[in-house]
Amino acid sequence: ALGLFTGIGLSEAKARETLRNGALSALLRRAVLQARSALGPALDKATGTLLYNAAARLKDPKHLGFLVGYIARREILTDLQLNAALEYVRSHPLEPLDAADFEQACGVGVCITPEQIEEAVEAVISKHRAELLAERYHFNMGLLMGEARNRLRWADGKTIKNEVDLQVLHLLGPKTEADLEKKPKAAKARLAPAEKQKVAVVENGDVGTETQSLMEQLRGEALKFHKPGENYKTEGYVVTPNTMSLLKQHLAITGGQVRTRFPPEPNGILHIGHAKAINFNFGYAKANGGVCFLRYDDTNPEKEEEKYFTAIREMVEWLGYQPYAVTHASDYFDQLYTWALELIRRGQAYVCHQKVEEIKGHNPPPSPWRDRPVEESLLLFEDMRKGKFAEGEATLRMKLVMEDGKMDPVAYRVKFTPHHRTGDKWCIYPTYDYTHCLCDSIEHITHSLCTKEFQARRSSYFWLCNALDVYCPVQWEYGRLNLLYTVVSKRKIIRLVETGAVRDWDDPRLFTLTALRRRGFPPEAINNFCARVGVTVAQATMEPHLLEACAREVLNEQAPRAMAVLEPLKVTITNFPASKALEVLVPNFPADESRGFHKVPLHPTIFIEETDFREEADKGYKRLAPGQPVGLRHAGYVIAVQNVIKDVSGRVIELEVTCTKSDVAEKPKAFIHWVSEPLACEVRLYERLFLHKNPEDPSEVPGGFLSDLNPDSLRVVHNALVDSSVLSAQPFDKFQFERLGYFSVDPDSKEGKMVFNRTVTLKEDPGKA
């Protein structure tokens, strides 16, 4: 075999590398032997290269002999023709191929004369004559080559290049010293930030704008996706005699529109991993002018609750996406049942009595009922539907072996649990393996996007659609998004709630979407985070501080400034310059005063942070101390300590100060925030819920995730003070408390006592990196 491959021009190293690939070497051997039988034992290198490329790049080996025949007959002579041939067979998966149509598509028999090449190059040079004379040899000659090749698709590239060189030399003469100098690079025009972030997208026919991040997330795997109706071009897609007619019907229904779906189970709250799925499904459809369905996978009534349905839709819409339609797997229960009967009639499914414990794992014993008569399975399946079997006594199983070796997955099982939408109509419910692909087919989904763990279900996905002769979408898998220092499993979050470690699914220390919203994370920050992670096959496990950085970027632009004091220290201004309160104008966004101001009062009594005063100023300490004045932010005054008042224990409880106008006082080392006539509020400060990066990893946390809880994950400040500008704020409104961080109004707020959650600090804590 080594001699066979080196005999067609492969180097010995390349031949050995090819031999290590069993599938490729078998195809190449077939190709070489077929070509030798037509051309003799000595094959030239050009023919050998074509044979190698055909064997290496052909997706469907059944067409190998067909292609090699054209190469051996010298009817496919160039790589350009081979590319066209490979594209043709990929686009025409059914046999027999139309030879005449194939030959026309591949330029078989087309003869390009030297005169035609000369005329084509002459026409192109004439078109660009003025620019050539102006730029001479600095002109982009590749442009001339490209245009000439477009005029003569099957012409030899080298011949065209030689003719271009000859005619350019005739027009311009030999190169001069100026021609040999490097052309200076033109400076690239920089886009304004707003232009850089916005790109046009089309959604349901309406052109709008979306942030650049939406497009960025579609890099990677999404670039490989098939066009609607070209499912058969996807590697691994199963083509049947009915595939092309089904795809034709599909295109007639969808009009060639991209269709995706987000299919959550309504038995828990969405988490940060789902945010990636939402962004990918809705984002891919949106970026391609398509639509996305929100489809609830409600096939397990034991675990489903109405609150989950509501919360899921709320979170999808909160992230900025509007479903094209909201559907349920249960919408199709009648059709799914009809198809199950048809599957039995076709001999592709049977009723089985093995217990759940018996068929668990990857090597269960084969079912003794696999070959039971069709009529018997039909009767027994009807008995299942009528409730004549107890739960676990009978299942309907499909006759196939999945990619991971699992045999005969269950299609239906008995459950005597009323369904929230269908009531007591059914006591049999379909499984994910049976339901998902058929719902995708009913809704004419073009791209069924799912995480990598579902790759083992791809074979059953294709098998079931084809077994029933219905339209078969393409399943594409991508890597999950996980975060360190958290758990997202529904079961584990329920344990955290049950043990009192967190209050509920929306506890701001969790990374469910409801929790992130409650903590104050803007939806744009979550979308930007998903975009930066990107869409790849590999699983992405990210640090929480990357999500926090995205939040800071958005909140810096969105959250108006206010002043708050977490640990108040009373300050009395003894020489207050007015008989009544002064009104201070504070910019909502100090970097852009055009975005407005709010008013805060300044009284003789103000409050500052305890940490902003020391009785003795250390080296490097710049805030308030005896002999060291500070400025009051936005007020236009500098204060200096005159008297320190302490309680009986020696704790400082009040300062008496004097004030001086900023424009006459010596410039202070620092300006501090303050409040006057403030509102009392509660502030909740959050840290990570777990101490270790991977709380679910036994090697890192031997005692289990519940033993890894951070005792300091929540600190409640009961008597914080905030300026009165926030009085009318509603739950989820966001503010930057100057010098303290970004905060969001919690739904626990009530009249007379607002509650704020700290979303993130102003800067990343280097200790958490």
Side-chain angles (χ1 to χ4, degrees), residues 692-747:
H692 290 82
K693 284 189 174 185
N694 301 292
E696 298 171 273
D697 185 346
S699 63
E700 204 169 319
V701 185
F705 73 101
L706 288 175
S707 71
D708 195 46
L709 293 168
N710 177 6
D712 301 318
S713 62
L714 170 61
R715 181 166 75 91
V716 180
V717 181
H718 293 283
N719 296 303
L721 302 174
V722 62
D723 73 51
S724 55
S725 66
V726 305
L727 181 61
S728 60
Q730 298 300 307
F732 307 117
D733 282 355
K734 297 160 184 58
F735 299 92
Q736 184 198 107
F737 290 169
E738 297 201 37
R739 298 177 64 222
L740 298 178
Y742 294 101
F743 292 77
S744 178
V745 181
D746 189 88

Side-chain angles (χ1 to χ4, degrees), residues 282-302:
F282 283 90
Y284 183 72
K286 188 172 184 177
N288 289 280
V291 296
C292 183
F293 291 72
L294 169 59
R295 185 205 309 142
Y296 294 107
D297 181 21
D298 57 344
T299 57
N300 191 356
E302 292 172 334

Side-chain angles (χ1 to χ4, degrees), residues 269 570 681 744:
I269 299 294
K570 184 179 177 183
C681 65
S744 178

